[in-house]
Amino acid sequence: MHSIHWLLSFLVVTMVGYAEVTLVRDGKAVATIYMQGALDVQPLTPKERRTISNEEQSERLDALLVADAVKDLVYHVERMSGATLLVRSISLEEARNLPAGEAAILVGQLAVEAGAAPLQETTMGESYRLVSRPNRLLIGSEGPLGTSHGIHGLLATLGCDWLMPGPMGEIIPSLATVVVPTMDIGKSPAFEVRANWYSGGRLIVTDEELAQLRQWKLRHGQTPREFAHRHPDFMHGGHFWNSVLRHYKDTRLKEDPTMYALVRQPDGSYVRGKSQLDPLHPGVLDMCADYIRGMFERNKWPNDKRVALNVGPNDGGGYSESAEVITEGGGRFDPIAGDRDQTDVLVLYTNRLIEMLEPEFPNLRLGLLIYSVHADYPMRHKPHPKFIGHFADITYSRFHALEDTSSPTRNYYRNILEQWAELHEEQGNPLWFYGYNWNLAENLLPYTKMKIWGLDLPYYHEMGVKGHNNEQDKAWSILGPHNYLMARLGWDMELEWEDVLDEYCAKAFGAGGTHMAQYYLNLIERQERHGHEAGSHFAMPLVFDQEFVQESRALFAKAAAAAETDTLRERVAAFSQPVEMLHLYLNFIDALHNFDYVRATGDLEAMVAHWDACLAQDSNLVSRYGRRYMEWLYKPVAEQGKRYSTGEYRIAHRLPEALPTRFDPTLSGHLMGFQLPAVPHDNLLKTHTYGSTWMTQGLGGYRQGSVWYFDTFTLEELSAEEGVGLFIGAVEDEIHVWCNGTYIGKGRGYVRPFQFDLTGSIRRDGENTIALQVIRNSMLNELGLGGMLYPSFVFAGPRLEQQAPAIEPHQRILPGGGRE
């Protein structure tokens, strides 16, 4: 039996004074909508955002929110019945004198005055109440957000639902007569803020797609981004230090460069990095305090305004190792990223800022994103009561829920959360959650957070988290069901995820829903039970195989056969597309792993064509991040592998997938002679390269220093005129190459193929030894990677023009494929 929709979770009361209300009879409107304010409200222009006061902007946004909700009510009733409800703007006095015999829908304060005062109080004014009386439908609320929620709550009682943004996701019944049942509903959300948003900017999402997401959010009672900051504890700003660095680059930082982070180099020397600050430097604290004072002035905030600000560091690495930072940091290393933990240092820095500013700004709260290498609970420095923690679980398994004890990274994270929950209970520190709705490392293949959201969001709620600010991607054919669950759980924590999955599939696919629900359950089982935590697409061949493809296709065929309408069958086809992409991807990976780069390029072309067709069908179905992944992570290795394995070139030797391995945590291997053929490596531990991940092999937290791989081989049928080269498919993310003890050169760049000329050092009639040293420069390119990521081979043909590739600047690949 399907779970009842959160907006249908109400008690129907039948008593004197309550009655059904007819809005449309036999295709003709019989009710009128009455509201305060205008229906034709224009969005703020860029100039108005710069020139009119904050109060005026808020008033306009409020009016626009209510007007859009009323228009959406008119739209849905018209789609249901063909009838258009009339909308009139009236005053409270006029509302009191409406004829009793005419059906009326009163919205907002008009409804409150008529007896539909909300039953709950909320921080954001979001509670609403729906009351039906003879010829009166009252949609009362605390404020504009509540009014919007109430209107969409009413539509849900009439059978409407929204499975994804855009027309493909709309569920609107056909009704010649539209009747609102007898009701008295009072609702308020479980989380105080539910501000999910698309990342990536205009390169990833269009204005139309952003507008469709906003509409979907409003229909599901989510929090528009511009309203989230009205919550007094919702933090303003992202990576705070980036703004400070830009603002003071040519003034204070130029005058005193010791405020930049002191960063240790591989050779042991120290330099002042430009990406981070030294958080405990007195000048940095003064500079950050002055920047915050400037924020109050620029925003015309009174000093006693309750404001929450994120004062955290930039993304990526480059953290300071000054004497005080090392002393106050506690000496802990993050077990996931493998780098020095920064939690204590940044908590102490934030505490000091709060203490500096508290006399001047008594209601100011400051906080950090609790993530990356400041993702722990502090060992030494207790957070100030005005410290805000905002959890972002970016470095933990993306395949497992918090309470899944089979996941080592989730076990570690759960321990951290329990300590923060104790702090919240003890001194009331505001806590928030910043989640991600996709796998971050890839968004082309099957993935679901159905069970993860179903278990984790109630967990966060129970520990006192006020709300979430979840970063979204746009591939709704992959992510739709769990996005829907996320929205539902924002209001009702009693929902069971399995019931919501059944309900979603029944609405999306009709009688085919049971087969589609089974597909998602199979997918969950694959994600949980295959022992992988790596977030990267490199883990996908370890989780999925062609057997899963065939099992899923069989379910899709049954679902399509059972679906009653073309619309339902269209959704079955759309939501099955990730499995078709998986089939193509597995073909591509199989070709790469078999050194068949001609076939790999053809498989990649098929992947791109499939993605293009889905985008053309409905741009909400797929993510442009996924398209960029194919360009960045698949295309170079396929095309360059083809270049050096066909035509004038041929493969002379394939490096084995498992190679003898030495770990070099002090970067001293070259001084110890690891590269020399005389140093034996026959008895070394062998580790997998492209056939597995470091996380799977228990090496996920290893980052300090480097790792060495060795291969010994002979070359046959090699002419004296042929040049010899080495093709490296990809590493994370710097490689140094020796051939028979001679240093060849280095290559640097994440998932980038490299070619090295071995001609002058190769033995054409004897045994050769290649030594490969791989260094992980980035704190975190992707979860659980390391070492060599794609197949590599020795090739013969025309000699390369240069001995080693040109060196790229250090880059970190950010979630979704961005670089810095």
Side-chain angles (χ1 to χ4, degrees):
M1 182 175 180
H2 302 312
S3 172
I4 300 174
H5 194 290
W6 60 269
L7 290 171
L8 294 177
S9 177
F10 64 89
L11 175 65
V12 176
V13 290
T14 55
M15 57 182 70
V16 176
Y18 291 79
E20 295 180 343
V21 182
T22 300
L23 307 184
V24 178
R25 183 180 293 111
D26 296 329
K28 294 183 179 181
V30 296
T32 300
I33 302 172
Y34 293 96
M35 61 182 292
Q36 291 177 299
L39 188 63
D40 184 20
V41 182
Q42 298 302 311
L44 290 165
T45 65
K47 180 179 179 180
E48 288 173 324
R49 292 181 185 278
R50 295 191 305 269
T51 57
I52 67 175
S53 68
N54 291 335
E55 291 75 14
E56 290 175 300
Q57 290 188 39
S58 294
E59 290 175 3
R60 178 83 69 82
L61 291 171
D62 289 347
L64 182 64
L65 184 70
V66 173
D68 284 346
V70 170
K71 291 176 184 176
D72 215 22
L73 175 58
V74 173
Y75 165 80
H76 281 80
V77 171
E78 188 170 11
R79 284 285 310 278
M80 288 181 200
S81 63
T84 302
L85 297 178
L86 180 65
V87 182
R88 288 187 57 198
S89 177
I90 61 174
S91 66
L92 286 172
E93 183 61 32
E94 289 172 317
R96 297 187 187 105
N97 297 316
L98 289 174
E102 296 180 6
I105 305 169
L106 302 183
V107 173
Q109 192 61 31
L110 299 179
V112 172
E113 291 288 324
L119 304 176
Q120 302 94 2
E121 292 184 5
T122 64
T123 303
M124 299 283 284
E126 294 191 85
S127 69
Y128 68 86
R129 189 174 174 193
L130 302 178
V131 178
S132 63
R133 290 180 175 161
N135 286 323
R136 291 292 182 270
L137 175 59
L138 310 179
I139 308 175
S141 67
E142 288 185 286
L145 281 171
T147 299
S148 177
H149 301 335
I151 286 173
H152 293 106
L154 168 67
L155 289 170
T157 69
L158 297 175
C160 298
D161 209 343
W162 309 276
L163 305 174
M164 61 178 279
M168 183 180 283
E170 292 180 349
I171 305 291
I172 304 175
S174 295
L175 302 169
T177 297
V178 180
V179 179
V180 176
T182 301
M183 65 172 68
D184 189 343
I185 307 171
K187 290 289 294 184
S188 62
F191 280 129
E192 296 179 22
V193 172
R194 305 154 310 284
N196 44 305
W197 57 287
Y198 281 153
S199 66
R202 294 301 191 272
L203 293 176
I204 299 299
V205 288
T206 66
D207 288 341
E208 180 182 7
E209 291 158 357
L210 289 170
Q212 288 179 337
L213 175 66
R214 175 185 169 82
Q215 185 180 65
W216 182 87
K217 287 171 56 177
L218 291 174
R219 288 170 172 177
H220 276 285
Q222 303 299 282
T223 312
R225 290 278 288 175
E226 66 271 20
F227 282 81
H229 290 292
R230 296 186 183 184
H231 193 291
D233 291 331
F234 188 88
M235 292 194 295
H236 292 253
H239 297 290
F240 176 75
W241 285 3
N242 187 49
S243 299
V244 175
L245 286 163
R246 286 200 313 267
H247 189 76
Y248 292 108
K249 177 182 177 181
D250 296 323
T251 54
R252 295 193 188 191
L253 288 165
K254 188 174 183 179
E255 294 166 5
D256 185 2
T258 66
M259 290 193 288
Y260 285 112
L262 188 65
V263 183
R264 187 180 186 275
Q265 301 302 294
D267 63 2
S269 63
Y270 285 88
V271 300
R272 292 290 172 182
K274 300 298 183 180
S275 63
Q276 307 283 14
L277 295 168
D278 188 316
L280 302 184
H281 190 296
V284 168
L285 291 165
D286 288 338
M287 182 170 62
C288 290
D290 283 346
Y291 189 85
I292 291 169
R293 292 186 181 99
M295 290 181 68
F296 271 79
E297 292 174 3
R298 288 189 296 275
N299 289 288
K300 298 182 174 60
W301 294 333
N303 282 18
D304 62 353
K305 179 179 174 63
R306 181 160 174 172
V307 176
L309 301 178
N310 182 353
V311 293
N314 291 333
D315 219 345
Y319 291 97
S320 185
E321 294 190 19
S322 65
E324 187 176 9
V325 165
I326 296 298
T327 300
E328 298 292 352
R332 178 172 54 179
F333 281 76
D334 182 89
I336 316 300
D339 215 11
R340 189 181 298 276
D341 181 85
Q342 303 292 323
T343 307
D344 268 285
V345 171
L346 291 172
V347 166
L348 177 59
Y349 144 82
T350 307
N351 286 350
R352 289 178 176 176
L353 264 182
I354 292 171
E355 291 163 0
M356 288 175 65
L357 292 166
E358 192 170 31
E360 190 174 351
F361 306 102
N363 295 315
L364 175 66
R365 284 161 171 75
L366 304 180
L368 303 168
L369 279 173
I370 309 299
Y371 92 135
S372 185
V373 290
H374 41 97
D376 220 309
Y377 186 81
M379 297 172 63
R380 303 185 58 197
H381 303 291
K382 186 176 183 179
H384 191 282
K386 292 183 178 179
F387 179 98
I388 297 177
H390 205 144
F391 308 109
D393 60 344
I394 192 171
T395 55
Y396 310 109
S397 173
R398 295 161 195 165
F399 296 150
H400 301 86
L402 265 169
E403 298 177 71
D404 188 338
T405 57
S406 71
S407 166
T409 61
R410 288 290 168 182
N411 288 336
Y412 190 82
Y413 181 45
R414 189 171 61 253
N415 179 265
I416 293 170
L417 291 176
E418 288 169 358
Q419 295 177 80
W420 282 101
E422 290 177 6
L423 179 74
H424 170 73
E425 186 173 346
E426 175 190 345
Q427 59 184 35
N429 291 73
L431 302 177
W432 296 85
F433 174 58
Y434 185 112
Y436 306 87
N437 82 322
W438 83 106
N439 191 6
L440 287 94
E442 73 84 25
N443 202 4
L444 292 164
L445 309 181
Y447 179 71
T448 183
K449 295 192 78 165
M450 200 73 198
K451 185 176 180 180
I452 295 171
W453 280 153
L455 299 181
D456 286 7
L457 291 178
Y459 183 102
Y460 288 116
H461 185 260
E462 185 177 352
M463 69 174 281
V465 167
K466 288 180 177 288
H468 62 70
N469 181 27
N470 290 339
E471 185 174 337
Q472 289 201 205
D473 196 9
K474 187 182 57 66
W476 284 83
S477 63
I478 303 173
L479 314 171
H482 70 243
N483 286 345
Y484 179 86
L485 174 67
M486 174 186 65
R488 295 277 300 279
L489 284 172
W491 282 78
D492 186 355
M493 286 293 159
E494 299 301 316
L495 292 170
E496 298 291 340
W497 67 266
E498 299 96 331
D499 293 337
V500 177
L501 176 61
D502 286 344
E503 180 185 346
Y504 184 93
C505 289
K507 290 180 176 180
F509 314 112
T514 55
H515 304 294
M516 296 299 291
Q518 187 59 54
Y519 156 70
Y520 287 108
L521 293 175
N522 292 349
L523 176 55
I524 291 168
E525 192 274 335
R526 282 276 174 159
Q527 293 180 177
E528 286 185 339
R529 301 302 171 207
H530 277 64
H532 304 295
E533 302 208 6
S536 170
H537 68 96
F538 289 101
M540 295 302 101
L542 308 178
V543 176
F544 298 112
D545 53 25
Q546 294 290 4
E547 181 181 353
F548 177 82
V549 172
Q550 296 308 318
E551 291 173 352
S552 301
R553 282 174 168 173
L555 289 170
F556 300 149
K558 291 178 181 178
E564 299 91 336
T565 68
D566 289 342
T567 297
L568 298 173
R569 286 186 285 273
E570 179 185 11
R571 291 201 193 104
V572 170
F575 279 64
S576 66
Q577 78 80 19
V579 171
E580 295 310 306
M581 181 64 85
L582 173 63
H583 168 68
L584 299 172
Y585 173 77
L586 291 175
N587 288 343
F588 170 76
I589 289 296
D590 180 71
L592 281 187
H593 288 189
N594 283 284
F595 297 83
D596 188 345
Y597 295 95
V598 173
R599 180 159 65 91
T601 55
D603 293 332
L604 179 57
E605 290 171 0
M607 292 173 66
V608 172
H610 174 76
W611 186 92
D612 287 342
C614 293
L615 184 74
Q617 179 187 0
D618 186 326
S619 67
N620 288 303
L621 293 176
V622 292
S623 165
R624 292 182 183 85
Y625 276 142
R627 184 67 172 81
R628 295 176 79 178
Y629 293 148
M630 289 189 281
E631 289 289 331
W632 294 343
L633 306 182
Y634 307 159
K635 185 177 180 179
V637 68
E639 291 189 344
Q640 293 185 41
K642 180 181 176 181
R643 167 78 175 90
Y644 293 101
S645 64
T646 63
E648 59 185 351
Y649 290 101
R650 60 184 174 83
I651 295 177
H653 169 71
R654 301 179 179 186
L655 271 65
E657 187 276 324
L659 291 169
T661 306
R662 287 186 187 270
F663 292 96
D664 179 16
T666 61
L667 287 173
S668 303
H670 63 295
L671 301 176
M672 300 174 72
F674 287 0
Q675 73 277 17
L676 301 177
V679 176
H681 56 260
D682 293 343
N683 296 320
L684 295 178
L685 169 75
K686 286 188 176 182
T687 61
H688 293 283
T689 57
Y690 57 85
S692 186
T693 66
W694 273 21
M695 183 72 76
T696 305
Q697 299 177 80
L699 305 173
Y702 181 82
R703 198 183 84 82
Q704 305 304 311
S706 64
V707 62
W708 291 68
Y709 299 101
F710 305 91
D711 185 30
T712 298
F713 58 92
T714 59
L715 294 177
E716 299 178 359
E717 299 179 1
L718 187 66
S719 70
E721 295 78 22
E722 285 184 299
V724 179
L726 174 65
F727 177 85
I728 298 293
V731 301
E732 186 182 25
D733 50 7
E734 179 177 321
I735 186 167
H736 293 254
V737 176
W738 284 263
C739 180
N740 296 322
T742 300
Y743 183 66
I744 305 302
K746 69 177 179 179
R748 188 169 67 203
Y750 178 62
V751 195
R752 285 291 171 268
F754 303 120
Q755 296 86 45
F756 298 87
D757 179 37
L758 308 182
T759 306
S761 57
I762 203 77
R763 297 191 184 102
R764 297 170 184 267
D765 55 357
E767 193 171 76
N768 294 280
T769 297
I770 291 177
L772 308 172
Q773 182 192 28
V774 179
I775 302 171
R776 295 181 71 191
N777 291 300
S778 171
M779 180 184 306
L780 178 69
N781 278 321
E782 258 313 327
L783 183 61
L785 296 186
M788 300 177 68
L789 305 177
Y790 278 141
S792 300
F793 57 86
V794 176
F795 59 88
R799 186 170 184 174
L800 298 179
E801 293 183 359
Q802 57 186 30
Q803 185 163 299
I807 301 302
E808 296 182 3
H810 281 301
Q811 288 188 335
R812 178 185 180 216
I813 306 300
L814 302 177
R819 308 180 190 188
E820 67 170 21

